[in-house]
Amino acid sequence: MYYQIEQVLEKQQFEIEKFYKGRGILICETTQGLFALKEFHGQMSKAEYLYQMGQFLKDRNISCDYMMKNQDGILLTEGVDGVRYSFHRWVKGRECDTRSRLDIVMTVSFLAKFHEAGSGTGIFFPDTKQGNLEKAAPGTESLYEECLRHDRELRRIRKYVLLRKNKSDFERLFLKCFPEYIRQSEEVLRFLADCQNLLPGHTVGLCHGDFNQHNVVIESGGMTLIHMEHARYGAQMTDLGNFLRKMLEKHEWSETLGLEMLREYSRIHPIGEADWTELYCRLCYPEKFWKIANHYFRSNKVLDSGKNYEKLKKENRQNFMRRKFLETLKRAKL
């Protein structure tokens, strides 16, 4: 395996002095600094998109693990095993500490700067045939369609659980709390169905696609975005909503922390009325309940270690606090 990797590394622009494993990557030390080698999954058009996006952010002083070309001027290097690899700039640092309010606020500030840099501009796909650039289209699934899909999946999982014999603790708890969460799902769907024509006013631009504490590196000189393989052009509230939910789940839906995060984000990248509505709906939808149920449905039921049960108990405990936070958020802005 290492012989194959070394052949790939030899084709990169810089001489590799040594390399070692990181989380899902190979970290390479060179005279020009740190770089990372990643397995690449997808079409060449995706690689071109990510490369253009990296250059776009670099030009706007947003630090990220941008993709680099090899010695032949090509973005992807194929190994003898047929696996394709991409080469990226890398940095040393630490993750956002989710126990630190300062780290959390700093990270949401960095997210706002990233969104501000890529707001409304669009990142472009190279069109080699015509010699110009075409704007990348936003994702086709609206928030309403996403919530509707989750609602249908929850109902399908409930039907499956009802037919199960010798139900586990998780399955009994799932059926017990299902009516409350499906009611929340229906409320959001009704609201979105009534105001779909209002939501297109939301801010679109660059989205990380998987923005969390693991994909931000804090270093002495600032912060760097990493693992941008899911980046796209779309509604930026998806990033903020996901990060806000993750942090508030870890802090028992603290109203002071949540509002502090939103004020810091809005200070740099103002949140318009349509964005507030979308963010509120994202937080109203029982996303965590859907994630737990979906993970259960896709997992091996025989090997269930009880983690799903513990997660669902925690979600039930936090449900009241989440609803209380949403009331505060509604009074504050909506």
Side-chain angles (χ1 to χ4, degrees):
M1 174 183 176
Y2 280 101
Y3 173 71
Q4 296 172 356
I5 292 295
E6 285 176 348
Q7 286 186 313
V8 173
L9 293 177
E10 287 174 357
K11 296 180 181 179
Q12 306 312 318
Q13 291 187 40
F14 307 120
E15 183 178 348
I16 312 297
E17 296 181 332
K18 65 177 181 178
F19 58 89
Y20 44 91
K21 287 184 179 180
R23 181 184 292 176
I25 62 173
L26 203 67
I27 299 175
C28 307
E29 292 187 5
T30 78
T31 55
Q32 302 297 316
L34 279 182
F35 297 90
L37 191 73
K38 304 181 184 182
E39 286 191 16
F40 184 86
H41 304 282
Q43 302 298 320
M44 178 57 76
S45 59
K46 177 183 175 181
E48 292 284 357
Y49 176 83
L50 294 176
Y51 175 77
Q52 293 288 341
M53 178 191 65
Q55 297 304 306
F56 177 91
L57 293 174
K58 181 182 175 183
D59 291 343
R60 285 156 181 78
N61 297 316
I62 300 296
S63 181
C64 69
D65 62 335
Y66 54 81
M67 192 182 294
M68 304 186 68
K69 295 181 179 181
N70 62 20
Q71 292 176 347
D72 300 323
I74 301 173
L75 290 172
L76 302 180
T77 306
E78 187 171 325
V80 294
D81 54 358
V83 176
R84 294 184 300 171
Y85 297 88
S86 54
F87 201 59
H88 301 254
R89 170 183 176 265
W90 204 249
V91 294
K92 280 185 178 179
R94 60 177 179 85
E95 292 183 352
C96 166
D97 184 353
T98 59
R99 297 166 298 181
S100 166
R101 297 173 76 93
L102 177 61
D103 271 18
I104 292 172
V105 174
M106 285 172 52
T107 301
V108 84
S109 176
F110 183 55
L111 174 64
K113 292 173 184 175
F114 163 62
H115 283 171
E116 180 69 20
S119 177
T121 59
I123 291 297
F124 303 90
F125 282 111
D127 183 348
T128 53
K129 292 182 180 179
Q130 299 181 17
N132 57 17
L133 300 172
E134 290 187 8
K135 191 174 182 180
T140 56
E141 189 177 52
S142 66
L143 177 57
Y144 174 78
E145 291 168 335
E146 178 184 334
C147 293
L148 182 61
R149 174 169 56 82
H150 289 178
D151 185 89
R152 288 170 177 166
E153 289 168 354
L154 284 173
R155 294 177 189 277
R156 185 165 65 248
I157 294 170
R158 176 181 178 271
K159 185 176 181 180
Y160 169 81
V161 172
L162 284 171
L163 295 175
R164 292 266 294 174
K165 296 180 181 179
N166 301 319
K167 294 180 176 56
S168 66
D169 290 341
F170 170 81
E171 291 164 341
R172 287 192 292 271
L173 182 59
F174 172 83
L175 292 175
K176 181 179 179 180
C177 63
F178 181 85
E180 166 61 19
Y181 291 110
I182 206 66
R183 180 189 64 79
Q184 294 177 23
S185 175
E186 289 170 347
E187 283 182 357
V188 174
L189 284 170
R190 282 196 297 270
F191 179 81
L192 288 173
D194 291 340
C195 70
Q196 276 193 92
N197 292 332
L198 301 177
L199 289 180
H202 60 200
T203 303
V204 292
L206 265 183
C207 303
H208 182 279
D210 189 23
F211 191 86
N212 57 54
Q213 69 273 23
H214 305 301
N215 291 334
V216 174
V217 176
I218 300 175
E219 46 185 329
S220 58
M223 306 181 84
T224 297
L225 277 173
I226 60 173
H227 300 311
M228 303 190 69
E229 291 79 10
H230 301 289
R232 65 186 185 280
Y233 181 78
Q236 294 182 327
M237 287 300 102
T238 57
D239 281 343
L240 180 59
N242 288 338
F243 186 65
L244 192 65
R245 179 187 296 278
K246 286 179 183 293
M247 295 305 102
L248 292 181
E249 284 172 357
K250 295 181 182 296
H251 288 264
E252 304 293 334
W253 287 90
S254 164
E255 294 180 14
T256 54
L257 175 61
L259 293 177
E260 186 178 2
M261 291 172 68
L262 290 170
R263 282 194 293 268
E264 178 62 18
Y265 180 94
S266 189
R267 180 182 68 83
I268 297 168
H269 191 41
I271 303 174
E273 184 177 351
D275 289 331
W276 274 103
T277 302
E278 175 165 342
L279 180 64
Y280 181 76
C281 288
R282 286 187 177 278
L283 296 175
C284 277
Y285 194 85
E287 181 78 8
K288 186 67 174 183
F289 178 71
W290 168 79
K291 283 186 175 180
I292 295 169
N294 189 54
H295 183 268
Y296 151 81
F297 189 61
R298 296 176 181 275
S299 64
N300 187 321
K301 313 301 182 293
V302 176
L303 300 178
D304 184 15
S305 63
K307 287 185 178 180
N308 288 326
Y309 177 68
E310 293 302 322
K311 288 180 179 179
L312 185 52
K313 280 206 308 183
K314 181 180 178 181
E315 174 60 16
N316 287 340
R317 178 174 57 80
Q318 288 195 343
N319 183 51
F320 173 77
M321 292 178 280
R322 179 172 65 89
R323 304 296 289 180
K324 188 170 179 289
F325 172 80
L326 288 167
E327 285 302 315
T328 301
L329 183 60
K330 189 175 184 179
R331 291 193 301 270
K333 191 67 181 180
L334 297 181

